Amino acid sequence: MGTIVVVGAQWGDEGKGKVVDLLASEADVVVRFHGGNNAGHTLMVGSELTVLHLVPSGVLHAGKVCVIAGGTVVDPEVLIEEIESLRKRGFLSDPSSLKISEQAHLIMPYHKAIDLAREKRRGSGKIGTTGRGIGPAYEDKVARTGIRFVDLIDETLFRAKLERNLREKNLYLRCVLEEKEMSGEEILSRYLRFRDLLGQYVTDTALYLHRAIGEGKRVLFEGAQGMMLDVDHGTYPFVTSSNTVAGGVCAGAGISPRMVDEVIGICKAYTTRVGSGPFPTELDNELGERLREEGREFGSTTGRPRRCGWFDAVVVRQAARLNGLTGLAITKLDVLSGIDPIRVCRAYRYDGAEFAHVPANERVMAAVEPVFEDLPGWKEPLGDLRRLEELPAAARRYIHRLEELTGTRVCMISVGAGREQTIRL
Ligand code: GDP
Ligand code: IMO
Ligand code: MG
């Protein structure tokens, strides 16, 4: 294994946590390079369930280094809680096994307040964000008013930046959003406490990664969200505020494109989405309800029910192109047992024309009709199968058809949440 990037190929929650946990056994370093605690990555090892929001999904393996790189936005309070709960279970006992970039931006209390207040005011036009302050934190980063870990460590800088920002944010909160103002003193004392707890992990992670890759260490980059939530390539404006595509790893982790060897896309054997926005293959009926129940499709971050629908090959083919996927991992194949026929969307139709890419116009994307083909289903449960040959013929045919439609080789099939419930090809 060289350097591998793992990304979501749909609208998030594809099972990245499970796949990264599995691949981490063969890696030395696991890196989050964008996003924040909007992510919820679920790992099931034995009967123990772990949900991670910020710490990379390699943490359950001894001897790995976990890196939270500069492209992320970090809520220090959530990170401290996550570290403490992992430490109680015996993980991260060596502080050098976690590294936080000095360039990573801090999510501040006003970011969360602004995120929530804007969503409330948007009413039915809301984006359906996770309410974690992600968008407002990235806005400040791009507006060059963000506060980074390196600023938090320099108390003089931190005080000055907080004071300057709070003057503007309080005005915005009070006069535009009609919300309560925030106290600078309170934020200052809380964040200085966070600095005392997290300061030991803060370092130049780009330099660390450069050296690690140079020494031949195997580095795994863990994407969050999915291609369709990418701020440039997703269903804008119903997207998150970072680049979720594999290209984001270079800016987000500070490595050269020449350092990436493989890109694995994760997708479910069907499709889900949390939050608002277009979803052409959505099943707003009993079958959608069945997928939600059988697949336990409830958000790992917010607990919201996920919207469910058929596999959309237009989406995954676009993800293959934008990410340069070298392999596809298909998760949750077990959830489709007992559904017959199984439909797959191979193209969209709009205004009498058929096409096979995701349109940028949001009105068009909201109105496209999926062009389906039907494939035979199977009845057998799949959770105990570990080899491709053991899969029912119809399941193998389904996988093969997804390979054809997406133009990507399948390298892994997941048949259950457990680490071992995996077929590697
Ligand atoms: P992530 O955000 O991409 O890491 O995905 P989430 O963890 O938010 O959601 C995926 C959910 O599916 C989690 O509850 C996993 O435990 C579960 N899961 C992953 N792979 C499989 C699988 O092959 N079959 C089933 N039934 N569940 C799976
Ligand atoms: P993982 O890493 C699924 C969605 C939200 C909303 C939109 C914007 O677990 O796959 P944000 O809070 O980022 O401003 O919300 O993006 N979203 C996710 N959906 N999985 C995620 O992460 C998500 N992170 C954000 O529901 O529609
Ligand atoms: Mg998730």
Side-chain angles (χ1 to χ4, degrees):
M1 172 181 156
T3 306
I4 300 183
V5 182
V6 172
V7 287
Q10 294 162 322
W11 275 281
D13 302 326
E14 297 91 347
K16 298 175 292 292
K18 167 178 167 159
V19 172
V20 170
D21 166 68
L22 191 72
L23 295 176
S25 65
E26 296 150 31
D28 300 302
V29 184
V30 186
V31 187
R32 276 283 309 269
F33 58 94
H34 73 96
N37 60 310
N38 46 351
H41 296 177
T42 315
L43 285 52
M44 182 72 116
V45 181
S47 59
E48 200 151 20
L49 184 80
T50 307
V51 182
L52 298 168
H53 300 289
L54 283 162
V55 173
S57 299
V59 68
L60 304 188
H61 297 268
K64 313 293 174 187
V65 175
C66 290
V67 175
I68 299 174
T72 60
V73 288
V74 177
D75 184 328
E77 190 170 22
V78 173
L79 180 57
I80 289 165
E81 272 170 31
E82 201 162 298
I83 293 171
E84 278 173 1
S85 108
L86 286 161
R87 285 178 68 98
K88 269 192 208 133
R89 293 170 50 200
F91 303 108
L92 289 181
S93 49
D94 172 6
S96 70
S97 63
L98 178 67
K99 302 192 189 299
I100 306 170
S101 168
E102 52 193 12
Q103 293 172 328
H105 278 249
L106 292 166
I107 295 182
M108 303 297 291
Y110 45 78
H111 292 140
K112 273 184 281 187
I114 291 169
D115 191 358
L116 292 169
R118 281 188 190 153
E119 285 284 277
K120 195 169 76 187
R121 293 170 74 86
R122 281 185 188 123
S124 61
K126 68 176 190 245
I127 293 170
T129 71
T130 59
R132 304 299 196 258
I134 306 294
Y138 276 115
E139 282 171 37
D140 277 6
K141 168 177 171 165
V142 177
R144 296 160 292 189
T145 56
I147 305 181
R148 301 167 301 164
F149 271 94
V150 69
D151 306 322
L152 176 63
I153 283 168
D154 182 332
E155 195 174 323
T156 311
L157 267 181
F158 183 71
R159 276 176 186 274
K161 291 194 176 192
L162 177 62
E163 207 174 292
R164 180 201 60 195
N165 284 358
L166 209 54
R167 265 200 304 275
E168 273 189 22
K169 301 296 178 191
N170 272 339
L171 206 61
Y172 180 61
L173 278 167
R174 181 164 50 85
C175 302
V176 178
L177 299 177
E178 296 172 317
E179 295 288 328
K180 279 206 302 268
E181 291 195 0
M182 299 194 153
S183 147
E185 279 313 308
E186 225 169 87
I187 299 177
L188 182 68
S189 71
R190 277 178 60 210
Y191 274 63
L192 291 181
R193 198 155 35 83
F194 299 154
R195 172 203 61 187
D196 294 342
L197 293 166
L198 294 175
Q200 60 180 322
Y201 304 111
V202 177
T203 186
D204 182 343
T205 57
L207 181 62
Y208 169 77
L209 289 172
H210 184 83
R211 287 187 179 146
I213 294 171
E215 286 163 12
K217 293 221 166 79
R218 300 157 304 173
V219 181
L220 187 56
F221 292 95
E222 175 179 6
Q225 291 84 51
M227 185 279 289
M228 291 295 271
L229 291 170
D230 183 283
V231 67
D232 289 300
H233 303 287
T235 43
Y236 194 89
F238 300 99
V239 294
T240 190
S241 298
S242 65
N243 281 116
T244 64
V245 290
V249 85
C250 296
I255 64 153
S256 155
R258 290 188 292 133
M259 287 175 166
V260 176
D261 296 318
E262 268 189 71
V263 185
I264 297 179
I266 318 292
C267 65
K268 283 177 184 164
Y270 48 97
T271 312
T272 65
R273 164 162 216 179
V274 216
S276 327
F279 180 178
T281 63
E282 182 167 16
L283 287 163
D284 198 7
N285 57 19
E286 252 170 55
L287 201 50
E289 192 58 46
R290 174 174 174 175
L291 286 173
R292 182 153 43 245
E293 289 306 318
E294 302 271 327
R296 299 201 187 145
E297 297 295 357
F298 297 90
S300 6
T301 295
T302 57
R304 290 178 291 177
R306 294 174 182 150
R307 301 157 64 192
C308 298
W310 297 118
F311 188 89
D312 188 336
V314 178
V315 163
V316 180
R317 189 164 48 230
Q318 187 128 329
R321 169 164 62 82
L322 290 167
N323 290 290
L325 297 184
T326 55
L328 197 59
I330 296 183
T331 62
K332 300 199 134 176
L333 188 64
D334 53 300
V335 176
L336 294 182
S337 291
I339 297 177
D340 196 2
I342 303 173
R343 311 196 89 179
V344 177
C345 166
R346 62 166 177 80
Y348 295 154
R349 189 178 293 122
Y350 179 77
D351 218 5
E354 225 180 80
F355 54 96
H357 64 273
V358 180
N361 182 309
E362 64 183 275
R363 277 198 308 116
V364 175
M365 183 58 180
V368 296
E369 278 173 43
V371 180
F372 285 118
E373 60 182 52
D374 288 357
L375 293 158
W378 60 91
K379 288 204 167 53
E380 301 86 329
L382 308 182
D384 293 329
L385 308 184
R386 298 292 175 267
R387 292 193 344 208
L388 185 67
E389 307 79 78
E390 295 167 357
L391 285 178
R396 268 181 284 147
R397 190 180 323 163
Y398 184 65
I399 293 290
H400 183 62
R401 187 65 187 136
L402 299 192
E403 282 186 319
E404 287 178 341
L405 286 170
T406 61
T408 314
R409 188 178 55 93
V410 171
C411 60
M412 195 186 285
I413 300 165
S414 173
V415 291
R419 194 187 260 173
E420 71 295 342
Q421 290 180 293
T422 312
I423 299 172
R424 288 184 77 168
L425 310 175

